Amino acid sequence: MLTASNSMRSYRGGPAIKAWPLAPFSIECTPPEEEKQLTITAAPPVLASRILPRSQAASIAAVIGFAAFTALAAQVSFRIPPIEVPFTGSTMAVLLTGGVLGSRRGAASMILYVLAGAVGLPIYTEQSSGFDTFVGATGGYLIGFIVAAYVVGKFAELRWDRKVPKSVVGFVLGSAIIYAFGVLGLMINLGSDLGGAITNGVVPFLGWDAIKAAAAGLLIPAAWKLTGEEPRT
């Protein structure tokens, strides 16, 4: 059995084969006398994989870093009475987290953010924290952050983040996921009906979130261009 991924390997008694540096795939094969088989497994082609060292330490640092970035973005907030939910910058951070890290690391980063706030770190909007937040107006949105980061990360792994139109569409769909969980949270936690939850938890934020989705949709394709990656449809 041979596995080549940015390194030198050889199978039993066979010649060594050197993989291309930073190649976004791995190759597995067996000697012809044992089994004629060649398998190519693509690694998730996300921005973090392009710009960060390929190590577990780098992945952990990225997960922690984007959780901290989301915590900072959450402090950029303001309220417009009588709307219960504040306007924040955190949703843009969630979209960027998924878009840059991919599905698994993006979701892991948001899980870390949500858990850190739940155990008492003042990192939610307006420096709030604690499990009580989950039974308040913003509880559903926090759960939505995790799902949205995963889904946006999946879109990035499908190369939707290379060009602006698909990138923006992916981020708009990610925002819609956050809205869906937010509405559900308002209905469960505050006893709102569906119409009231949409009126108070979605409609006021459409313009604000459209700006954030568009900004994120411009940033990541621009970052790919800086890496020298050629856009492909």
Short mmCIF file of all heavy atoms in Angstrom, two decimals, residues 80-109:
data_model
loop_
_atom_site.label_atom_id
_atom_site.label_comp_id
_atom_site.label_asym_id
_atom_site.label_seq_id
_atom_site.Cartn_x
_atom_site.Cartn_y
_atom_site.Cartn_z
N ILE A 80 -32.41 48.81 18.03
CA ILE A 80 -33.44 49.73 17.55
C ILE A 80 -34.75 49.31 18.20
O ILE A 80 -35.36 48.30 17.79
CB ILE A 80 -33.58 49.69 16.01
CG1 ILE A 80 -32.26 50.09 15.35
CG2 ILE A 80 -34.72 50.62 15.55
CD1 ILE A 80 -32.29 50.05 13.82
N PRO A 81 -35.16 49.99 19.29
CA PRO A 81 -36.40 49.61 19.97
C PRO A 81 -37.58 49.68 19.00
O PRO A 81 -37.59 50.51 18.09
CB PRO A 81 -36.53 50.66 21.08
CG PRO A 81 -35.13 51.16 21.26
CD PRO A 81 -34.51 51.13 19.90
N PRO A 82 -38.57 48.82 19.20
CA PRO A 82 -38.75 47.84 20.27
C PRO A 82 -38.26 46.43 19.89
O PRO A 82 -38.69 45.45 20.49
CB PRO A 82 -40.27 47.84 20.46
CG PRO A 82 -40.78 48.02 19.05
CD PRO A 82 -39.80 48.92 18.36
N ILE A 83 -37.38 46.32 18.92
CA ILE A 83 -36.91 45.01 18.46
C ILE A 83 -36.11 44.33 19.57
O ILE A 83 -35.20 44.93 20.15
CB ILE A 83 -36.03 45.17 17.19
CG1 ILE A 83 -36.86 45.82 16.07
CG2 ILE A 83 -35.50 43.82 16.72
CD1 ILE A 83 -36.04 46.22 14.87
N GLU A 84 -36.45 43.09 19.87
CA GLU A 84 -35.82 42.36 20.97
C GLU A 84 -34.39 41.95 20.66
O GLU A 84 -33.54 41.88 21.55
CB GLU A 84 -36.65 41.10 21.29
CG GLU A 84 -38.03 41.36 21.85
CD GLU A 84 -37.99 41.72 23.32
OE1 GLU A 84 -36.93 41.54 23.95
OE2 GLU A 84 -39.01 42.20 23.83
N VAL A 85 -34.11 41.65 19.39
CA VAL A 85 -32.80 41.12 19.01
C VAL A 85 -31.91 42.25 18.53
O VAL A 85 -32.32 43.06 17.68
CB VAL A 85 -32.96 40.06 17.89
CG1 VAL A 85 -31.60 39.48 17.51
CG2 VAL A 85 -33.91 38.96 18.32
N PRO A 86 -30.67 42.37 19.04
CA PRO A 86 -29.78 43.44 18.61
C PRO A 86 -29.19 43.20 17.22
O PRO A 86 -29.07 42.05 16.77
CB PRO A 86 -28.68 43.43 19.67
CG PRO A 86 -28.65 42.02 20.15
CD PRO A 86 -30.07 41.54 20.10
N PHE A 87 -28.82 44.28 16.56
CA PHE A 87 -28.05 44.19 15.32
C PHE A 87 -26.59 43.98 15.71
O PHE A 87 -26.05 44.70 16.55
CB PHE A 87 -28.19 45.50 14.53
CG PHE A 87 -29.55 45.76 13.98
CD1 PHE A 87 -30.59 46.20 14.81
CD2 PHE A 87 -29.81 45.60 12.64
CE1 PHE A 87 -31.85 46.45 14.31
CE2 PHE A 87 -31.08 45.85 12.12
CZ PHE A 87 -32.10 46.28 12.95
N THR A 88 -25.93 43.00 15.09
CA THR A 88 -24.55 42.70 15.46
C THR A 88 -23.70 42.42 14.22
O THR A 88 -24.22 42.26 13.11
CB THR A 88 -24.45 41.46 16.39
OG1 THR A 88 -24.62 40.28 15.61
CG2 THR A 88 -25.50 41.51 17.48
N GLY A 89 -22.40 42.32 14.44
CA GLY A 89 -21.49 41.92 13.38
C GLY A 89 -21.16 40.45 13.41
O GLY A 89 -20.39 39.96 12.59
N SER A 90 -21.75 39.72 14.36
CA SER A 90 -21.36 38.32 14.56
C SER A 90 -21.75 37.42 13.39
O SER A 90 -21.04 36.45 13.08
CB SER A 90 -21.96 37.77 15.86
OG SER A 90 -23.35 37.94 15.89
N THR A 91 -22.87 37.70 12.73
CA THR A 91 -23.28 36.82 11.64
C THR A 91 -22.27 36.84 10.48
O THR A 91 -22.02 35.81 9.85
CB THR A 91 -24.68 37.18 11.12
OG1 THR A 91 -24.73 38.57 10.82
CG2 THR A 91 -25.73 36.86 12.17
N MET A 92 -21.68 38.00 10.22
CA MET A 92 -20.66 38.05 9.18
C MET A 92 -19.45 37.21 9.58
O MET A 92 -18.85 36.52 8.74
CB MET A 92 -20.23 39.49 8.92
CG MET A 92 -19.20 39.62 7.81
SD MET A 92 -18.83 41.34 7.41
CE MET A 92 -17.56 41.12 6.16
N ALA A 93 -19.09 37.26 10.85
CA ALA A 93 -17.97 36.44 11.33
C ALA A 93 -18.28 34.96 11.17
O ALA A 93 -17.40 34.17 10.82
CB ALA A 93 -17.68 36.77 12.79
N VAL A 94 -19.52 34.56 11.42
CA VAL A 94 -19.92 33.17 11.25
C VAL A 94 -19.77 32.73 9.80
O VAL A 94 -19.22 31.66 9.50
CB VAL A 94 -21.38 32.96 11.71
CG1 VAL A 94 -21.86 31.56 11.38
CG2 VAL A 94 -21.52 33.23 13.20
N LEU A 95 -20.23 33.57 8.88
CA LEU A 95 -20.13 33.24 7.46
C LEU A 95 -18.68 33.12 7.02
O LEU A 95 -18.31 32.20 6.28
CB LEU A 95 -20.85 34.32 6.63
CG LEU A 95 -22.34 34.51 6.92
CD1 LEU A 95 -22.89 35.66 6.08
CD2 LEU A 95 -23.13 33.23 6.64
N LEU A 96 -17.85 34.05 7.47
CA LEU A 96 -16.43 34.00 7.12
C LEU A 96 -15.75 32.78 7.73
O LEU A 96 -14.86 32.18 7.10
CB LEU A 96 -15.73 35.27 7.57
CG LEU A 96 -16.08 36.55 6.79
CD1 LEU A 96 -15.44 37.77 7.44
CD2 LEU A 96 -15.63 36.44 5.33
N THR A 97 -16.17 32.42 8.92
CA THR A 97 -15.58 31.24 9.57
C THR A 97 -15.81 29.99 8.73
O THR A 97 -14.88 29.22 8.46
CB THR A 97 -16.18 31.05 10.97
OG1 THR A 97 -15.85 32.18 11.79
CG2 THR A 97 -15.64 29.78 11.64
N GLY A 98 -17.05 29.77 8.33
CA GLY A 98 -17.34 28.61 7.49
C GLY A 98 -16.64 28.70 6.14
O GLY A 98 -16.09 27.71 5.65
N GLY A 99 -16.66 29.89 5.54
CA GLY A 99 -16.08 30.06 4.22
C GLY A 99 -14.58 29.85 4.19
O GLY A 99 -14.04 29.34 3.21
N VAL A 100 -13.89 30.24 5.25
CA VAL A 100 -12.43 30.12 5.29
C VAL A 100 -11.99 28.75 5.79
O VAL A 100 -11.08 28.13 5.22
CB VAL A 100 -11.82 31.22 6.18
CG1 VAL A 100 -10.32 31.01 6.36
CG2 VAL A 100 -12.07 32.60 5.56
N LEU A 101 -12.63 28.24 6.84
CA LEU A 101 -12.16 27.01 7.47
C LEU A 101 -12.76 25.74 6.86
O LEU A 101 -12.18 24.66 7.02
CB LEU A 101 -12.49 27.03 8.97
CG LEU A 101 -11.84 28.13 9.81
CD1 LEU A 101 -12.18 27.92 11.28
CD2 LEU A 101 -10.33 28.16 9.61
N GLY A 102 -13.91 25.84 6.20
CA GLY A 102 -14.59 24.65 5.73
C GLY A 102 -15.60 24.16 6.74
O GLY A 102 -15.77 24.74 7.82
N SER A 103 -16.27 23.08 6.40
CA SER A 103 -17.42 22.64 7.19
C SER A 103 -17.06 22.18 8.60
O SER A 103 -17.62 22.68 9.59
CB SER A 103 -18.15 21.51 6.45
OG SER A 103 -17.28 20.42 6.21
N ARG A 104 -16.12 21.25 8.74
CA ARG A 104 -15.85 20.68 10.05
C ARG A 104 -15.16 21.67 10.98
O ARG A 104 -15.58 21.85 12.13
CB ARG A 104 -15.00 19.42 9.90
CG ARG A 104 -15.73 18.26 9.23
CD ARG A 104 -14.87 17.02 9.18
NE ARG A 104 -15.58 15.90 8.55
CZ ARG A 104 -15.06 14.70 8.40
NH1 ARG A 104 -13.82 14.44 8.81
NH2 ARG A 104 -15.76 13.74 7.81
N ARG A 105 -14.12 22.31 10.49
CA ARG A 105 -13.43 23.27 11.35
C ARG A 105 -14.29 24.50 11.60
O ARG A 105 -14.25 25.09 12.69
CB ARG A 105 -12.09 23.67 10.72
CG ARG A 105 -11.03 22.58 10.83
CD ARG A 105 -9.70 23.00 10.24
NE ARG A 105 -9.76 23.14 8.81
CZ ARG A 105 -8.71 23.41 8.04
NH1 ARG A 105 -7.51 23.57 8.59
NH2 ARG A 105 -8.83 23.52 6.73
N GLY A 106 -15.10 24.89 10.62
CA GLY A 106 -16.00 26.03 10.83
C GLY A 106 -17.02 25.74 11.91
O GLY A 106 -17.25 26.56 12.81
N ALA A 107 -17.65 24.56 11.84
CA ALA A 107 -18.62 24.18 12.87
C ALA A 107 -17.93 24.04 14.22
O ALA A 107 -18.49 24.45 15.26
CB ALA A 107 -19.31 22.88 12.49
N ALA A 108 -16.72 23.47 14.24
CA ALA A 108 -16.00 23.31 15.51
C ALA A 108 -15.70 24.67 16.14
O ALA A 108 -15.80 24.84 17.37
CB ALA A 108 -14.70 22.55 15.28
N SER A 109 -15.35 25.64 15.31
CA SER A 109 -15.07 26.98 15.83
C SER A 109 -16.31 27.61 16.46
O SER A 109 -16.24 28.23 17.53
CB SER A 109 -14.54 27.87 14.70
OG SER A 109 -14.17 29.14 15.18
#
